[in-house]
Amino acid sequence: MTLLALGINHNTASVELREKVAFGPDKLSQALSDIKQVEGIEGGVILSTCNRTELYCDVSAKDEGALVDWLTEFHQVEPSELRSSLYVHRDTEAISHLMRVSCGLDSLVLGEPQILGQVKQAFADAKSHQSVNTSIEKLFQKGFSVAKRVRTETDIGGSAVSVAYAACTLAKHIFESLANSTVLLVGAGETIELVAKHLSSNGCTKMIVANRTRERALSLANEFGAEVIALNEIPEHLAKADIVISSTASPLPIIGKGMVETSLSARKHQPILLIDIAVPRDIEAQVGDLDDAYLYTVDDLQSIVDSNIEQRRAEAVQAEAIVKQESTVFMDWHRSLKSVNGIREYRDNAHEIRKQLLEKGMQALASGADPEKVLTELSNKLTNKLIHSPTQAMQQAAQEGQHDKLQIIRESLGLDMNS
């Protein structure tokens, strides 16, 4: 049996192709049922995200042809279009690939943690459709444990590598607890939505969303239990905010020096952290000149992000070493399955020979044959049948000069090579 990882990802395929071969919820159930019928597939898991579609299978087939044919037929894509973007990993490489994916080492954003949850969900889906065999089960469980080990022993996921995440990390460092802080979010686009998610996951419960259109702000506010205000209401609410994070498409600043100065006076000069991640800027640069107003721009955050990316790359070296070690250990276990099967077959064959000869001996005794002759014949035939195959193998190895093979056979038979 061979462990196989086959697929496309953001490094090998365009968005258009990734969309064509994605397994959405409406397709996944049928696909998991179908894949079990593919010739040579003993077990399989389908991982499908916006950045990758991968099949992890335990196969008895000589190559991946049948699996590729099924994939192209299922999604009705041209084989030539898919094959040019396809990668195939076998055994140790397949094991290592799953571990790297689970750890975020193969992600668009190095070390991102969301992929592990997606891998776990893919495994759970496959298991619920009974498309998981022992080898695939062990492979994925090992992948999960390696991801946990990488997260524990390295800091690959500990640094902010997006501007939105960096903004929240900065706020968390300056304020002891975001649970006690009020945050004013200016704008309601994707970046602010991502900021809100990071804030919420870090315990922030007091948010105010200011936006030009109230409908968009309401959608975001409802998700996080935030208050909604219009942009022209910011001066009235700014004094409530401990943290201001702004990202709009406004061509002119929305928050000026005078507005912040007035708010600081109302706050009795309790500090305000202002993070401007808009281009052009939403907050006047002169705000940074005010005492108790701490202004950071997108350039400040980008320098943090760049530094953290380098830190993640350094941590990835250690993570890769862990993956290499663990994939070797797992492959040794997988190879041992073949020896277990071989041992089982050898023992079953020996027991079958003994059973056949014993039946003949019992029949001879029942017919009145001399017990001593029966036992002698039984022992001779049993010995000859059991040593026949090893003897032939030793003779062939000796004749062909395969001394390493000959040594292995002798050692397996408990013979001293020097005799």
Side-chain angles (χ1 to χ4, degrees), residues 53-73:
T53 289
E54 294 178 338
L55 310 178
Y56 294 90
C57 299
D58 188 20
V59 303
S60 58
K62 293 181 180 179
D63 58 46
E64 69 282 357
L67 196 57
V68 176
D69 290 343
W70 171 80
L71 185 59
T72 55
E73 184 177 343

Side-chain angles (χ1 to χ4, degrees), residues 226-288:
E227 181 183 350
V228 175
I229 62 172
L231 292 181
N232 59 12
E233 296 180 273
I234 289 177
E236 302 168 31
H237 292 79
L238 189 57
K240 301 177 188 176
D242 303 300
I243 303 164
V244 178
I245 302 176
S246 186
S247 178
T248 76
S250 173
L252 298 171
I254 294 170
I255 298 175
K257 180 180 179 182
M259 189 190 302
V260 176
E261 200 166 17
T262 301
S263 298
L264 284 171
S265 178
R267 288 170 60 84
K268 297 181 180 178
H269 290 276
Q270 290 184 46
I272 301 178
L273 170 66
L274 301 104
I275 302 174
D276 187 353
I277 49 182
V279 178
R281 287 185 277 187
D282 284 339
I283 303 173
E284 285 184 348
Q286 291 78 5
V287 169

Side-chain angles (χ1 to χ4, degrees), residues 9-296:
N9 64 17
H10 56 280
N11 292 317
T12 69
S14 65
V15 173
E16 290 76 17
L17 181 57
R18 298 204 304 273
E19 287 174 341
K20 287 181 182 179
V21 297
F23 291 91
D26 56 325
K27 294 182 178 179
L28 186 60
S29 182
Q30 184 62 51
L32 287 169
S33 297
D34 288 355
I35 200 171
K36 293 183 292 184
Q37 310 306 318
V38 178
E39 183 180 357
I41 303 299
E42 302 297 327
V45 171
I46 298 173
L47 173 63
S48 186
T49 72
C50 58
N51 285 327
R52 69 180 66 244
T53 289
E54 294 178 338
L55 310 178
Y56 294 90
C57 299
D58 188 20
V59 303
S60 58
K62 293 181 180 179
D63 58 46
E64 69 282 357
L67 196 57
V68 176
D69 290 343
W70 171 80
L71 185 59
T72 55
E73 184 177 343
F74 187 93
H75 289 293
Q76 295 297 294
V77 297
E78 287 296 325
S80 58
E81 182 183 11
L82 181 61
R83 284 186 180 276
S84 62
S85 301
L86 202 65
Y87 47 82
V88 180
H89 303 298
R90 293 177 179 83
D91 288 333
T92 302
E93 289 184 359
I95 296 163
S96 176
H97 183 72
L98 176 64
M99 291 178 180
R100 294 186 75 253
V101 169
S102 300
C103 296
L105 291 171
D106 194 56
S107 295
L108 183 61
V109 177
L110 180 65
E112 62 96 359
Q114 288 82 8
I115 185 63
L116 179 58
Q118 293 168 326
V119 174
K120 287 183 175 181
Q121 186 59 55
F123 173 72
D125 290 336
K127 198 161 186 182
S128 69
H129 285 81
Q130 300 179 330
S131 67
V132 174
N133 68 346
T134 300
S135 291
I136 292 294
E137 166 115 28
K138 293 286 187 182
L139 172 62
F140 274 76
Q141 293 298 344
K142 188 66 170 178
F144 302 151
S145 68
V146 170
K148 182 178 179 181
R149 181 183 168 192
V150 166
R151 295 285 165 183
T152 301
E153 297 182 18
T154 76
D155 196 32
I156 193 169
S159 306
V161 291
S162 73
V163 170
Y165 188 23
C168 297
T169 303
L170 181 61
K172 194 167 61 173
H173 281 320
I174 293 176
F175 290 84
E176 186 175 342
S177 172
L178 294 183
N180 300 320
S181 302
T182 298
V183 181
L184 171 61
L185 300 174
V186 183
E190 290 182 6
T191 301
I192 288 295
E193 183 177 2
L194 191 54
V195 167
K197 287 179 180 178
H198 288 313
L199 289 169
S200 180
S201 66
N202 281 282
C204 180
T205 58
K206 301 173 187 174
M207 290 186 242
I208 303 169
V209 180
N211 196 50
R212 182 174 58 83
T213 57
R214 192 174 183 84
E215 292 77 17
R216 172 61 185 148
L218 278 171
S219 174
L220 182 62
N222 289 338
E223 184 177 353
F224 300 102
E227 181 183 350
V228 175
I229 62 172
L231 292 181
N232 59 12
E233 296 180 273
I234 289 177
E236 302 168 31
H237 292 79
L238 189 57
K240 301 177 188 176
D242 303 300
I243 303 164
V244 178
I245 302 176
S246 186
S247 178
T248 76
S250 173
L252 298 171
I254 294 170
I255 298 175
K257 180 180 179 182
M259 189 190 302
V260 176
E261 200 166 17
T262 301
S263 298
L264 284 171
S265 178
R267 288 170 60 84
K268 297 181 180 178
H269 290 276
Q270 290 184 46
I272 301 178
L273 170 66
L274 301 104
I275 302 174
D276 187 353
I277 49 182
V279 178
R281 287 185 277 187
D282 284 339
I283 303 173
E284 285 184 348
Q286 291 78 5
V287 169
D289 297 332
L290 297 172
D291 291 338
D292 304 314
Y294 300 92
L295 175 62
Y296 290 83

Side-chain angles (χ1 to χ4, degrees), residues 289-359:
D289 297 332
L290 297 172
D291 291 338
D292 304 314
Y294 300 92
L295 175 62
Y296 290 83
T297 67
V298 68
D299 288 342
D300 297 322
L301 295 184
Q302 192 58 53
S303 66
I304 294 172
V305 168
D306 291 342
S307 173
N308 288 344
I309 287 174
E310 287 304 313
Q311 184 178 340
R312 282 199 178 191
R313 286 174 181 158
E315 295 294 324
V317 174
Q318 185 182 350
E320 293 282 10
I322 292 172
V323 166
K324 184 177 181 180
Q325 176 195 25
E326 294 283 9
S327 59
T328 299
V329 170
F330 187 86
M331 191 60 210
D332 289 344
W333 171 82
H334 191 252
R335 287 196 188 100
S336 74
L337 293 181
K338 297 178 182 179
S339 68
V340 169
N341 292 335
I343 292 169
R344 185 183 297 112
E345 290 175 13
Y346 180 72
R347 290 176 66 88
D348 289 345
N349 183 56
H351 284 305
E352 183 60 29
I353 291 172
R354 179 192 63 81
K355 179 182 176 183
Q356 291 176 0
L357 293 178
L358 182 59
E359 287 178 355

